[in-house]
Every structure is written in C-alpha cells, then in structure tokens.
Amino acid sequence: MKSDIIDNKVVNNQHRLLEIFDAGSEGLWEMTPDNMVNFYNTHFYENFDVSLHGSPLDEWIAIMHPEDKNQFIQNINTQVTEKITRFLSQYRVRDRQGDYHWIEAVGVIHADEHGNIIYMVGAHKDITEKKHYEDKLYQLAYCDSLTGLNNRRKLVETLTTLLEAYSQAAVMTFGLNKINQIMDVFGYQAGNRIILLCAECLKEAFGSENVYRTQSDEFVVLQKGTYSEDVLKQQIGAVLTDFEQRFRSFHQSRIQALNVGVYLLMENKHLNENVESLLYKSTLIMRHGSEKDACISFYADDEKDAIERHLFLETGIKKAITDNEFYLLFQPIVCASTGNIVSVESLIRWNSVRYGEIMPTEFISIAEENGDIVELGYHVLVLACEFLNQYREVHSSVIKASVNVSVVQLMQPDFVAHFLAIVRHYQLQPENLTIEMTESVILESNPFAVQQLLALNQAGFTISLDDFGSGYTSFNTFFSIPFTQLKLDKTIIKKMAENPSVRTYVKFLVNMCNEKEVTVVAEGIEDMAQAELVKKAGVDLMQGFYFYKPKSGKTLIEL
C-alpha cells in the first residue's frame, strides 16, 4: 500500500514536471546513446514534423536547412568523441508550413565513470527574431541600400584581413563616369536604373559576395587569388560588353559610361600598403584611364609615376603645410600714372622635398576638390601677414598685399571671423589686404557667398574680382557682387593690340568702374606697347613681367 502511494506521488510529480515544461517557451529534449530522442514541451515541438517520443535523431536532421546539416552532424560527432560535457550550437529547422526557424541548442552530456555516455539532455530556443534583428543591423552596417551589395565599410574590413594575411587578389574599380550627366538630363530614377543595371552585370560575372558599392558611381570587385592581366581583361571585357548591350536596350545612346581600374595585390608586394591608399590608387587608375579614353587600365609601371604623384598631391598638402614646404612669391602692382609700387599679389608655391617645385596649376584644383584649400588658404594669409610685418619693420610703413580666396573657403560659416582673427593677430588692419576672387559665376548664384563678401567689405577688406575677361565673369557681376577692384585678365590685354573693338570695350569697362568707384588693374603686361594701351584706356594699376617678375619677400623688402 505504501509503495503504491509512493508510486502515485512519483507519477504525479512527473506529470507536474511535464506540465511545467509545457508552460515554458523553450523546448527540452533527451537523447539516449542509440540516438533516440524524447522531446518535452509539446507546445514548442508540435509545429515541427518529428515524433515527440522515441524519435530517431535522423528525423530532426531531416528538417534542418540543407546548408546546416553537415555542420550539425560534425558537431555531434565532435561532442561525442571528445566527450565535450556542454555545447552550444545554432542552426535552422523547417516547420510544418515550410518556413525555417533559427534554433539555439544547448546540450549537456552525462557519462559514467569510464567515460561512456549514459544520456544527453538539453534545450532548444527559437532565436528567429533575434537573427532577423541581427540581419537588419548587418544590412544597415554593411550593405548598400539601393543595390543590396556589400558597402565600402565591408570592403575595408575584408581588404584589411587580406593585407594582414599577405593574400593575393585583384582589386577592380568600376566607375560610371557619366552617371551625373544622365541624372541631370533624365532624373534620379533613370540614374538608379543604370546603377542597378551595372550591379546586376557585376553580380552575374563575379558573384554578389565579391562586389561592393563604394560610392554613388563606383563599384569595387575584389577577386581573391592570382590572376594574369589577360584573364582579367577577358573577364572585364565580357562585363563591359554585357553592360553596353543592356544599357542600349534601356537607353538608345552610344554613351560609354563604364571604366575600370585594376590594382593587383601581389605576394610580398604590398607589405607597406594600407587599405585606403590601395582603394584610392584603384580609383585613380580608373579615372586616369577614363581621361585617356581607356576602358580598362592597370596600375602598372608606365602609369605608376603619374598615379603616385597624384596620390601624393591628394594626401600631402596638409603635411606640406606642417613641414613649411609652402612659400610665397610677391608680384608688385604699380600705379599706372607714376609707376610706383602700391601693392603686391601673393603667389603660393610648393617646394616639395619629394618632387621639388610644384606649381599651383597642379595642386590648387586638387586642394579645392578634397577641401584642403581651406587650411591652405589660411596658411597663405598667415604667410602674407608675416611678410607685411617684416616689410613694416624695415620701412616703417605697410604695403598692401592681395591673397587669393577660393569659393570653397568663402562657403565656410566661420570664414570671416577666422580671417579677421589672423589679420588682427599680426596687428594689421583689413585695409592692408585685398581678397581676390575668381569664381564669379558661382558667387552670383549663391546668396551666402555674397553675404560673406559683404561682411568682408564692411570690415574694410578690398574685394577684387580676378581674371575678368577670361570667360568666368558675366556683366551680372557688376550688380550682384560687392567688389571694389577689378583685374583685367591678360587674355583681354593681348587682344587690345589686335582688335580696336576690344580697346573700346576696355574703355567702357573702365568708365563703368569709375562710376562705381571701382579700381581697375591690368594684369599680364608684357611690354611697353601693352602698358601704353591700358594707360590710354584709363586703368588705375598695372601688373606684369614688363614691370616686375614675382619676387621673394626678402628681395622685395630690399628694393
């Protein structure tokens, strides 16, 4: 009788325990050494096509995702053979509706004193929502929203791993170099269609896992392994042909909008390489080829010097400022009636330790593109102020100096305040400096730029409109930009000797400027004949090699 009571209690406790299991959110399981499984918590397992009691392990494996089966079986074998007492794994299983759920499995092995497995017990947890959330985070961090491809961040991480392992690979940058024109004419939707078209061509040719969208108009294909130029040319050529055919079906045009730059990572050839410079070189060789109408360009010896120099200019300006490699020359500006020097124009020069003298025509445009022109512009102002102070110490008076200011500088919100602070730091007055502006067409259509110039003008700086007549300036300038000096470009000065109509035009300009109290400077005077012509036209000031070539500050002070 007593034993019956005990047996009933055991049965009741077992039922109670199973009810507790059924109330939980996790599935519990037990597996015997012969791979027979008992599943507890029917609520968790009833949605899966398995027997709840005495189910062979093969039933559970049968509903696993095909990509996860081999790894699961390998993990089980490792746990059994190596007697791993506790293990954790994740995989996908199919429910009765055919949808896959992510399962996190925790298992514990119980063995006898000889190491023989008696049983395994564990729990299953549905982590599908967690996985979806992780996937969304991954998409946000590593995927391009338009194409679904890997993004630049993912490429940088992958390339970093390759470089650290000294792996060999081909880095191919595909540039849609005319996509902006297409968007301007046909709209963003048309542009996006072309971007997606290019993405499809690249995915089909190289596999989506190897294609990255790094910029709005650029894709990078990273192909691991060793490849000859001939093989890569065949692969790329097939992509270009495919893209051209698809493009023509979308748009009846002969626009060639895809160029490719290839950088090969060779064994022991990139020991000092870093990811950013590598990607930049690949982009540069693509652009370099585009300028030469070459669809496919390789980073090779015949292109290396040009690419390395461009890379140096792109990345070396800030360091050159710190290393004091920039200096100023000064070209005097003389009074048209007396010939006396009344001011000087500051001309930036770069004496590079690596490349020697680098002219502004080569580095100014690059500085404007990458934003270094802002810091460089302030540096020029500092050098000009230092010269004015040195001149004052020797002559007990201050000569006027002009400095060129880019519209990129002008668009900085704190530009006026920063500019004034530098001038006052050297105990100079705004009246001692002239600000020369060139990009008048841009200025005319930008209210903020005009507002900045007004603030500079009100502070006391002379605002000079440079290169008038070179093609950058319109008559609207006279009414929209607050300038107090106009510099006639040397091209219009040369035409004065050849064409009476030009001489009449210059006289008309001078009269307009006189009415507005604007000083007129004639640039690029090369001989006496030109000097006489511009004086007859009534200009106020003259500048050019006929009077003075650009000089160092020391030489000018000693004049």
Side-chain angles (χ1 to χ4, degrees), residues 175-192 194-195 216-217 247 250-251 253-259 286 290-291 293:
L176 289 161
N177 58 4
K178 294 187 179 179
I179 194 68
N180 291 331
Q181 293 94 312
I182 292 172
M183 286 185 172
D184 288 343
V185 176
F186 301 103
Y188 280 95
Q189 287 187 346
N192 285 342
I194 294 171
I195 290 169
S216 60
D217 57 352
F247 180 83
F250 160 73
H251 189 277
S253 170
R254 293 186 176 274
I255 295 176
Q256 172 58 57
L258 197 58
N259 292 84
M286 180 271 292
S290 175
E291 292 170 1
D293 293 327

Side-chain angles (χ1 to χ4, degrees), residues 285 288-289 292 297-308:
I285 191 62
H288 192 64
K292 300 194 307 179
S297 301
F298 284 78
Y299 187 77
D301 291 339
D302 56 342
E303 306 287 355
K304 185 176 180 180
D305 291 342
I307 299 300
E308 289 284 359

